[in-house]
Amino acid sequence: MATAAIYGCAGETLSSDEAAFFRDADPWGFILFARNCGGTKQIVRLCHQLRETVARNAPILIDQEGGRVARLKPPLAPRRPPMDRFGELAKLDPEKAKEAAFLGAKLLAEDCRNLGIDVNCVPVLDVPQPGAHDIIGDRALSTRAEMIGTLGRQVVDGSLAGGCLPVIKHLPGHGRALADSHLELPRVTDDREELEEVDFAPFRALADAPLGMTAHIVFDALDPDRPATLSGTVIRDVIREGFGFDGLLMTDDLSMKALTGRFRDRAEASLNAGCDVVLHCNGEMAEMTDVAEGAKALEGEAARRGDAALALIPRDRPDFDRDGAEARFSELLRPVITV
């Protein structure tokens, strides 16, 4: 039985220590970063090595959003625009924006699947607010909550059409954060009514997504003592009951500096709060070993959600007219792309 964890690895090949750790820890999945991606054949081989350690077709994740968040860079995959371009296009032609968002997500998914990667951590559903930290910025689909929900639906559907599971992030919303949670713990002081009307709306609209990722942010109006990742109140009352989200819920990276304390404690607290799976990204063996001590078997409702998500990944992909898709995508975005 897999454990409720997703791990990264240190480099482009697995060390004997990493392989032994993954065999023993048996994580639900893995995640790749730029440090793991040196060449096409190498990435395919690494994906095979990772799955071989757990003796099953475990999901392999990546953050391939386009723009500044792209772990696969040319020549591994084409350069893609940031997703705010879809929102800019929507101001000119909403229907073309929807087509572009779908096609862009499908192309991203095809880029990933060609290398053996089958989960792409898109879309960002955060609603950026004036004065907030730019960690979200042009990663957001729009500045309007309703349009983020509309375009986010296209990104979810396009990802699935391209053979990758999408991950909605960062629940329940990162758009108001005044700090980067990679570096420190943000605190949002806005009232519940404002959050419900704006920040939560895109997540409610896409509550049927198969996978979601939490935000390491304290919301005073929800739980002033714990960040969302560690808050049973936020996960149970807001994400599960309020949004109606029944997909597999993973933490954001446990090694981000927004969280403190031992990694075992971070993992235990996240799972006890209601997260289904913990995510640890940097490949540091000592940290992963500590996380593994706090991780538990993926069972019950969490296992059901994980199985339901994996069942959506098509193992046989239909023929795809990449040249035609690339040409159409460029044509659609021409009005909002500046060279």
Side-chain angles (χ1 to χ4, degrees):
M1 182 182 295
T3 56
I6 299 168
Y7 295 118
C9 58
E12 295 182 5
T13 61
L14 289 188
S15 69
S16 57
D17 286 346
E18 286 175 323
F21 170 74
F22 293 144
R23 278 195 296 270
D24 292 341
D26 193 16
W28 183 73
F30 303 94
I31 187 166
L32 300 185
F33 283 81
R35 67 177 183 272
N36 309 122
C37 301
T40 299
K41 292 181 179 178
Q42 170 267 317
I43 297 169
V44 171
R45 185 168 57 250
L46 178 58
C47 289
H48 176 74
Q49 288 177 321
L50 289 167
R51 291 182 171 119
E52 197 172 41
T53 64
V54 294
R56 56 188 157 78
N57 197 20
I60 296 180
L61 292 70
I62 200 165
D63 292 295
Q64 191 70 6
E65 300 175 9
R68 57 194 162 104
V69 179
R71 314 308 185 195
L72 302 171
K73 294 180 170 59
L76 299 175
R79 193 179 310 278
R80 305 290 182 195
M83 289 203 178
D84 76 332
R85 296 298 86 193
F86 304 138
E88 290 302 305
L89 182 58
K91 297 175 183 177
L92 306 175
D93 190 324
E95 289 306 310
K96 285 186 176 180
K98 289 165 64 176
E99 183 184 354
F102 178 92
L103 191 53
K106 185 173 182 179
L107 285 166
L108 287 170
E110 291 281 347
D111 296 340
C112 295
R113 279 303 298 268
N114 288 340
L115 297 170
I117 300 160
D118 51 15
V119 181
N120 188 17
C121 299
V122 294
V124 172
L125 296 184
D126 307 310
V127 186
Q129 297 298 311
H133 193 282
D134 66 359
I135 186 59
I136 299 301
D138 63 2
R139 299 166 64 194
L141 284 157
S142 173
T143 57
R144 296 187 294 126
E146 182 179 4
M147 185 54 66
I148 290 174
T150 297
L151 296 175
R153 172 63 62 191
Q154 299 303 312
V155 173
V156 165
D157 291 349
S159 296
L160 290 169
C164 273
L165 291 181
V167 182
I168 60 172
K169 59 188 186 183
H170 306 82
L171 292 132
H174 206 301
R176 294 179 188 273
L178 301 179
D180 179 355
S181 54
H182 293 84
L183 304 176
E184 58 184 299
L185 178 63
R187 180 177 291 272
V188 169
T189 59
D190 301 75
D191 62 42
R192 177 71 176 262
E193 184 177 0
E194 179 70 9
L195 296 173
E196 290 278 0
E197 182 177 344
V198 179
D199 305 63
F200 297 172
F203 295 102
R204 285 195 301 266
L206 276 85
D208 58 347
L211 302 171
M213 180 184 293
T214 63
H216 299 329
I217 297 177
V218 172
F219 294 86
D220 283 352
L222 307 178
D223 183 342
D225 300 319
R226 288 173 292 274
T229 301
L230 309 181
S231 172
T233 300
V234 174
I235 292 172
R236 180 186 64 250
D237 296 349
V238 178
I239 295 174
R240 293 299 189 195
E241 296 181 8
F243 298 169
F245 178 70
D246 191 40
L248 186 86
L249 185 65
M250 68 186 74
T251 69
D252 206 342
D253 182 9
L254 291 184
S255 62
M256 290 163 62
K257 291 181 171 57
L259 303 183
T260 58
R262 288 185 55 195
F263 281 88
R264 173 177 179 167
D265 296 335
R266 299 182 196 190
E268 287 181 342
S270 302
L271 296 172
N272 289 340
C275 291
D276 295 316
V277 172
V278 296
L279 174 65
H280 184 275
C281 295
N282 65 22
E284 292 287 337
M285 181 59 71
E287 293 182 9
M288 291 194 296
T289 301
D290 209 21
V291 170
E293 292 180 2
K296 59 186 180 182
L298 188 71
E299 55 189 359
E301 285 296 285
R304 176 188 63 77
R305 295 180 185 120
D307 290 344
L310 295 180
L312 297 176
I313 301 175
R315 296 305 167 190
D316 297 316
R317 293 187 291 155
D319 291 338
F320 177 57
D321 178 11
R322 175 175 286 276
D323 290 343
E326 296 280 11
R328 178 59 177 164
F329 186 58
S330 295
E331 178 188 354
L332 287 167
L333 285 181
R334 191 171 293 121
V336 294
I337 295 294
T338 56
V339 179

